[in-house]
Amino acid sequence: MYIDLAAFSARLLADLELNPRARTCARTIAQLLPESAVNVYIVGTQYDAKVWQMKASTGDVSVHAAAVPIATGTLGELALSKTPLIFAGTELPRESYAHLDTRKTVASLAYLPL
């Protein structure tokens, strides 16, 4: 499968606000990766500190925290590297992705900064 960039771009342009655009991104990526969960985060501020804020989610995963400190676990590694990251689930302690509430075994985690 691939992303039709023209159609994807048109959908993003039709969405005038951040949350609908985040949902469009989550759904599009989830269609490419069946049986996966997708969360879309932005970097925001809370109490004058940088945090990750989830804006959209799809699949069998949830996030209970409204904000996750920027340097936390695998999201913290993403903040430092600012490059795509892939982690094998077998190599990660649960604390590395404690921001996720998932009932299934994590096979891998991938992060794609946009």
Side-chain angles (χ1 to χ4, degrees):
M1 291 185 90
Y2 70 97
I3 295 175
D4 178 341
L5 288 179
F8 178 63
S9 298
R11 286 193 308 269
L12 288 176
L13 287 172
D15 295 331
L16 301 179
E17 297 181 7
L18 178 62
N19 289 345
R21 285 183 177 168
R23 283 191 297 274
T24 295
C25 289
R27 288 185 196 126
T28 301
I29 294 168
Q31 288 173 352
L32 293 172
L33 303 168
E35 298 185 40
S36 65
V38 178
N39 291 338
V40 177
Y41 296 89
I42 65 162
V43 175
T45 56
Q46 187 177 54
Y47 307 113
D48 296 324
K50 285 189 175 184
V51 294
W52 293 102
Q53 297 172 325
M54 190 182 70
K55 292 298 176 182
S57 182
T58 185
D60 191 21
V61 67
S62 62
V63 177
H64 295 294
V68 177
I70 195 88
T72 300
T74 52
L75 285 171
E77 291 184 46
L78 178 65
L80 288 175
S81 73
K82 297 179 179 68
T83 61
L85 299 174
I86 299 175
F87 299 97
T90 57
E91 298 174 5
L92 285 176
R94 175 75 176 104
E95 295 78 25
S96 294
Y97 56 95
H99 60 284
L100 301 175
D101 181 16
T102 180
R103 288 170 176 67
K104 292 184 177 182
T105 301
V106 173
S108 63
L109 290 174
Y111 295 90
L112 178 64
L114 301 175

